[in-house]
């Protein structure tokens, strides 16, 4: 349970980091919070020849509000996302979801960019960013590009980031103040990865009908899923137990869960239906 | 790769050493500094037995490289007592039998320290919530929770003392 040997560098700028990655070909890994990478190194599931430590680069962990968006530096720690007053005021669901990541000691080190770049199917932040329709700023040797969630998340633990690219910032549109959000994560123990997780964001029109609905499913598919068919089915409807139950049933068709040591695919399907029903009821203010 | 030089403060004392990049902070603390109060339970970030304070905040030392701690201030369990005097949290654990084998205890004490700094009067639920990242196989947590409750009282009392002494003069 000890890591294989590797070289190590701690650049002080993003450009230096990109250069180090680029020189190593495929063989380097970025070190951000280390809460996912170090276990992999210890178990020798990853054997990079070079670690490029991002922790000495200044200016990557700021949180700003600008033009109806939140700009979040990729090295922002989960604990800061959880406790930041601006986030708690304008996108409280994001702070709430960050608080579900592991335990405080993990959140003190783990980073927003790290979680997103690691792209664990059960992780909270990839799900949040998918539902909130965030944009990811990625820097590489050829310059800077911006990716939408469905362009970044391509498979389980797989993103479209090139080996010499660095995710530097996340831009989150601030939801209107008339939206209601609900997040539920199913885990056997507090702090575990979710078996499945659901995030819904709902806006009702003046007549109390669904105007805008976003339904995000996590842990039940290689990448976080926006249940678009469910969302279309709800728009224009008046919230009710029946409508919500039908939506929850339909959500199951939009995922392709796997079986693993934690749960079977069948159990995940069943639980997605349960969590979608509960989150829709909560967000639609039906209890 | 050749060893890299690091300097860091541990429990207020400065250390300088050379170590391989792949060496975890936990192994460095235990092997190079001889501070074996920090324990290795799982070495993949799940059990909390390796918990230390890094620049004042809890961190799993098995998930940090020693080279990352260059320039940092670390507190381990050995840094809690003041000479021969136990820290109020340690004293509370002693009095309330908040440990059996002690393997998880160093991590629990530092997690408790951070909890009480942030939340001086936690409820039982808040205590259990915070301790869910420290796995204990012996106690069933009941006496740990009571010890933390007691500790919260003792920490507040110890903080009040200097002020009371000043008034008495």
């Amino acid at each position: 349970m000890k890591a294989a040997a590797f070289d190590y560098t701690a650049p002080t700028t993003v450009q230096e980091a990109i250069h180090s990655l680029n020189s190593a070909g495929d063989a380097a890994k970025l070190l951000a919070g280390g809460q996912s990478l170090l276990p992999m190194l210890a178990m020798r599931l990853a054997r990079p020849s070079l670690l490029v430590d991002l922790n000495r680069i200044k200016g990557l962990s700021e949180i700003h509000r600008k033009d109806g968006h939140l700009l979040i530096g990729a090295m922002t720690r989960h604990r800061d996302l959880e406790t930041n007053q601006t986030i708690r005021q304008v996108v409280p669901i994001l702070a709430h979801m960050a608080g579900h990541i592991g335990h405080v000691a993990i959140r003190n080190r783990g980073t927003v960019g790290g979680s997103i770049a690691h792209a664990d199917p059960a992780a909270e932040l990839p799900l949040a960013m998918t539902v909130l329709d965030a944009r990811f700023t990625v820097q590489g040797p050829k310059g800077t590009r911006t990716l939408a969630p469905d362009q970044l998340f391509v498979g389980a633990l797989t993103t479209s980031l090139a080996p010499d690219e660095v995710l530097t910032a996340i831009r989150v549109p601030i939801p209107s103040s008339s939206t209601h959000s609900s997040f539920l994560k199913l885990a056997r123990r507090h702090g575990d990865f979710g078996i499945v997780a659901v995030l819904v964001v709902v806006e009702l029109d003046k007549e109390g009908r669904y105007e805008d609905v976003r339904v995000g499913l996590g842990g039940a598919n290689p990448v976080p899923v926006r249940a678009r068919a469910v969302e279309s089915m709800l728009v224009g409807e008046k919230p009710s137990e029946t409508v919500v139950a039908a939506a929850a049933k339909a959500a199951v068709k939009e995922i392709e869960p796997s079986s693993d040591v934690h749960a079977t695919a069948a159990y995940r399907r069943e639980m997605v239906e349960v969590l979608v029903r509960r989150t829709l009821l909560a967000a639609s203010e039906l209890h | 790769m050749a060893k890299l030089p690091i300097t860091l403060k541990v429990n207020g004392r400065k250390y300088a050493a050379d170590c391989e990049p792949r060496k975890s902070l936990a192994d460095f603390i235990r092997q190079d500094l001889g501070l074996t109060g920090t324990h290795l339970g799982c070495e993949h970030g799940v059990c909390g037995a390796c918990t230390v304070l890094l620049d004042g905040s809890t961190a799993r030392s098995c998930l940090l490289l020693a080279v990352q701690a260059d320039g940092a201030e670390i507190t381990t369990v050995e840094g809690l007592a003041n000479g021969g005097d136990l820290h109020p949290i340690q004293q509370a654990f002693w009095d309330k039998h908040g440990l059996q084998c002690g393997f998880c205890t160093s991590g629990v004490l530092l997690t408790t320290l951070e909890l009480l700094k942030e939340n001086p009067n936690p409820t039982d639920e808040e205590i259990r919530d915070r301790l869910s990242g420290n796995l204990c196989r012996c106690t069933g947590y009941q006496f740990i929770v009571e010890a933390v409750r007691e500790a919260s009282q003792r920490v507040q009392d110890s903080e009040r003392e200097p002020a009371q002494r000043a008034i008495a003069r």
Side-chain angles (χ1 to χ4, degrees), chain A residues 2-3 7 38 79 108, chain B residues 1 22 27 43 58 63 118:
Chain A
K2 306 290 180 192
D7 287 346
L38 262 67
R79 187 64 169 160
N108 281 337
Chain B
M1 185 182 208
R22 65 170 163 155
D27 282 342
E43 295 191 277
T58 55
L63 299 187
E118 291 171 10

Side-chain angles (χ1 to χ4, degrees), chain B residues 124 127-128 131 141-150:
Chain B
D124 278 10
I127 294 170
R128 286 177 181 278
L131 289 176
Y141 292 93
Q142 189 53 45
F143 286 178
I144 292 181
V145 174
E146 290 180 25
V148 174
R149 224 189 292 139
E150 178 70 18

